[in-house]
Amino acid sequence: MAPHIGRRLRRGATTTAIAAAAVAALSASQGPGVPSTPTTDASPSGDRTAEASTPPGDSATGDSPYYTDLPPLKSPAPLQPGTSSNLPVVTGPAEAGIPATVLAAYQQAEQHLRDTDPGCNLPWQLLAGIGKVESGQARGGKVSADGTTLSPILGPVLNGVGFANISDTDNGAYDGDTTHDRAVGPMQFIPSTWATWGRDANGDGRKDPNNIYDAARSAGLYLCAGGRDLAVKGDLDRAILSYNRSTEYLRTVLSWFDFYRNGSHQVPDGTGALPDNRSDDDRVTLPVQNPGMPATPSPAKPPTSKPKPVTPTKPTTPTKPTTPTKPTTPTKPTVPTKPTTPTKPTPVAVRLKDGGSGPLTATAGTAFAERARIVAVDATGKPVAKVTVTFQLVGDTDARFTGGATSARGVSGADGTVTAPALQAGEKTGTFTVRATISGRPTTAVDLTAKVTERQADTLVRVGDKELTAAPGTEFAELIGVKATHKGVLAPGVAVTATLLAPAPPAEAGADADADAGAETDAKPLDKGPYFKDAEGKPVRVLTGLTTGKDGILTLPKLHADDTTGTFLLRLEAAGGATLTVELTVKAPQEATPAP
């Protein structure tokens, strides 16, 4: 009896009225998640441009029937260590399997909403829960390589007989019916709702409700409407009820949502587990409170005995081979026969490889010129499209992807290539790793090495030109300032080393400029003469860890002179090779000449 729990009776006018009354009652009592005014869901999150609002009392599906199967009591296997909480695991019951292309569409929709409407917090597992209830994940993933269903998925005619009465709004363009509307596609949008919310997510230039990529993104926008935050229970409930205004629908979707959040795994397209119980089934279930009662169906038994003679007389049913004739749909498995469908999902990507990423290098504080490029391939080495790849920054680095994130996702194109977002280097220098993995699957990662080098200067010049002199045992009056540039532009944050040197012996007469330069190079470190002071006030003659400021200028600490007189050198060396040598003089002040 478990599969029947939560299944609804066929929706007649009475049932619809009861459902509406139940929702109204919950709304009046402020029950969580019941929309009191559906018109608040008018503008789509993410694409929050002004659009036509949803008509009062409307829903995405026109409250069409849905699958009432519930997930197994045993949850999927828990997430494996090292996997993200929102990624599927490759173990678990058949019901936890989601067809590869369908899963990619859900995850792409989540990423789109995360980028365009992060406040909505749409989890892809919610789309999976709705997709399971609406179409059994596009009939177990019977979709083409671009995500379009192999045959149309249509709900019943909404002609008011057992269902809502919705006159044709699309001239039959989507549902083939020019009199009444029908819910269309894997996410079961009615044409009037699709006209407002439909989006082109697979880049083929069409907004197609039969395409799982288009339908998943559109469903995400619809659920995020009105500024909802789906991390809030009330907003989550209201979003689901806006899709189909039934509290049983809400409970069924939430049960699958929780099931998929506990774990799921990818399966080849066309092999997903199919549900078989629908809310419009002609079967009566016992009340959940009294599962053992013979049920008040005793009054219903006489009617069943009456119709028995009518059944034989009603051979019109067998004569109505329209149902058997309708196996034109099953006959349309010419597409399944087209093994290209099973073969195309066979390119379930089994590994990743470097797609020709250039050297990932950047100077501190600048953007990396190259991006990480990865190719997803199948077991034969052929590229696989629509594979979701996660890029993660690993190591001691403050580099970040665009937007300040340490991880990012991308979906491979037709050539199997997916390119990571641009990287911005921080101030930490050294190497780190850009790690690429197939989202949600424990495949071998591809690690790319990235390097951040220190800021550089090709020129150092002194700020000011006053002579730098001091008397023995005093301080130099002038503070020494230098300006660093790189390719003519001020260079902030450049590391500089300052070293005090004893001058080399003077060059002999007639020596050229190169000899003078050599003399500077041959200068020896000082053990006496001018000095800086460290934090404890002790003399130091080599300073490291100096950097230029935002204006590219570095001002050195005060210089002191001991009792040694003479000419000395201060050599400044910047990262990138720029050098500057400054001359210092320590001499006793001139004594006044005595009067004759």
Side-chain angles (χ1 to χ4, degrees):
M1 192 173 75
H4 297 295
I5 296 175
R7 187 182 306 144
R8 303 192 314 171
L9 302 178
R10 174 180 292 277
R11 276 207 197 93
T14 307
T15 310
T16 306
I18 291 171
V23 174
L26 280 171
S27 179
S29 63
Q30 297 187 358
V34 181
S36 54
T37 314
T39 50
T40 57
D41 307 333
S43 63
S45 306
D47 295 3
R48 295 200 182 227
T49 50
E51 298 196 30
S53 61
T54 306
D58 199 3
S59 63
T61 64
D63 298 336
S64 292
Y66 56 90
Y67 287 106
T68 59
D69 299 55
L70 294 174
L73 294 176
K74 185 179 178 182
S75 296
L79 291 175
Q80 298 174 351
T83 58
S84 171
S85 61
N86 66 339
L87 298 177
V89 178
V90 191
T91 57
E95 292 85 348
I98 302 177
T101 300
V102 177
L103 176 61
Y106 295 152
Q107 292 178 335
Q108 185 195 77
E110 178 195 65
Q111 183 65 49
H112 176 77
L113 267 297
R114 184 185 300 160
D115 294 340
T116 59
D117 186 13
C120 173
N121 293 305
L122 171 77
W124 67 259
Q125 292 91 339
L126 177 57
L127 295 173
I130 291 175
K132 179 71 174 181
V133 166
E134 293 295 349
S135 67
Q137 310 297 19
R139 292 187 182 134
K142 291 184 178 178
V143 294
S144 62
D146 70 350
T148 304
T149 57
L150 299 181
S151 58
I153 300 176
L154 297 174
V157 177
L158 299 176
N159 57 7
V161 181
F163 310 108
N165 188 350
I166 302 178
S167 298
D168 173 61
T169 59
D170 65 332
N171 198 28
Y174 295 120
D175 55 17
D177 191 327
T178 56
T179 306
H180 293 92
D181 273 346
R182 302 171 71 174
V184 180
M187 302 305 279
Q188 288 289 278
F189 278 97
I190 56 174
S192 57
T193 309
W194 183 260
T196 298
W197 300 91
R199 295 292 185 277
D200 172 24
N202 68 343
D204 64 358
R206 297 188 307 127
K207 301 174 185 178
D208 184 1
N210 296 298
N211 181 278
I212 186 59
Y213 287 96
D214 293 1
R217 179 177 296 184
S218 304
L221 295 170
Y222 186 89
L223 294 166
C224 288
R228 293 193 188 103
D229 179 357
L230 300 183
V232 176
K233 183 64 167 68
D235 279 2
L236 174 65
D237 289 351
R238 276 186 283 275
I240 297 170
L241 282 168
S242 76
Y243 217 87
N244 188 312
R245 298 166 302 168
S246 160
T247 51
E248 290 183 21
Y249 179 87
L250 170 66
R251 285 193 293 270
T252 306
V253 169
L254 286 176
S255 66
W256 284 105
F257 174 41
D258 289 336
F259 181 73
Y260 289 132
R261 281 197 303 180
N262 287 329
S264 61
H265 59 271
Q266 177 177 289
V267 298
D269 289 346
T271 66
L274 294 173
D276 56 12
N277 299 311
R278 286 170 58 89
S279 59
D280 57 342
D281 282 348
D282 283 322
R283 282 170 282 185
V284 180
T285 50
L286 298 176
V288 180
Q289 303 92 321
N290 304 302
M293 286 181 62
T296 347
S298 41
K301 277 183 183 175
T304 41
S305 55
K306 266 187 184 179
K308 272 186 182 176
V310 182
T311 314
T313 5
K314 197 181 176 183
T316 46
T317 314
T319 320
K320 195 179 179 182
T322 44
T323 317
T325 314
K326 206 170 182 178
T328 46
T329 312
T331 313
K332 203 172 181 178
T334 46
V335 188
T337 313
K338 191 182 176 183
T340 46
T341 309
T343 310
K344 280 195 174 174
T346 302
V348 175
V350 296
R351 64 185 179 88
L352 301 175
K353 65 178 185 178
D354 186 354
S357 308
L360 300 177
T361 58
T363 303
T366 66
F368 282 75
E370 295 289 336
R371 299 189 190 186
R373 286 182 180 81
I374 294 295
V375 177
V377 296
D378 63 13
T380 66
K382 291 182 179 178
V384 182
K386 296 185 174 59
V387 176
T388 303
V389 173
T390 298
F391 296 93
Q392 184 80 34
L393 303 184
V394 179
D396 184 18
T397 180
D398 55 357
R400 294 293 182 264
F401 289 117
T402 304
T406 57
S407 65
R409 281 182 178 178
V411 178
S412 61
D415 61 353
T417 301
V418 54
T419 303
L423 257 180
Q424 175 73 27
E427 294 303 321
K428 284 186 180 178
T429 58
T431 60
F432 62 95
T433 298
V434 179
R435 177 165 296 162
T437 55
I438 297 177
S439 298
R441 288 205 278 134
T443 51
T444 304
V446 172
D447 286 347
L448 303 175
T449 300
K451 184 176 182 180
V452 177
T453 59
E454 56 188 356
R455 296 173 188 261
Q456 299 183 347
D458 52 23
T459 305
L460 279 177
V461 295
R462 186 183 160 202
V463 178
D465 57 1
K466 286 187 179 180
E467 187 179 350
L468 299 172
T469 61
T474 64
E475 299 175 349
F476 283 79
E478 293 291 324
L479 290 176
I480 301 173
V482 293
K483 179 171 67 175
T485 58
H486 182 68
K487 295 181 180 179
V489 179
L490 291 173
V494 175
V496 178
T497 300
T499 307
L500 289 160
L501 303 169
E508 297 179 3
D512 57 19
D514 289 340
D516 290 339
E520 287 184 6
T521 305
D522 294 337
K524 307 298 181 186
L526 284 179
D527 54 5
K528 58 183 179 177
Y531 62 90
F532 299 105
K533 286 184 179 180
D534 64 14
E536 297 175 356
K538 295 178 182 178
V540 291
R541 293 184 170 89
V542 178
L543 288 181
T544 59
L546 303 171
T547 56
T548 58
K550 292 181 179 179
D551 53 2
I553 293 176
L554 167 67
T555 301
L556 297 173
K558 279 187 177 181
L559 260 174
H560 303 268
D562 60 12
D563 294 334
T564 308
T565 59
T567 301
F568 306 90
L569 300 177
L570 171 63
R571 178 173 295 158
L572 297 157
E573 297 174 287
T579 61
L580 173 67
T581 301
V582 179
E583 190 174 275
L584 309 172
T585 303
V586 179
K587 62 181 179 179
Q590 291 182 350
E591 296 181 4
T593 306

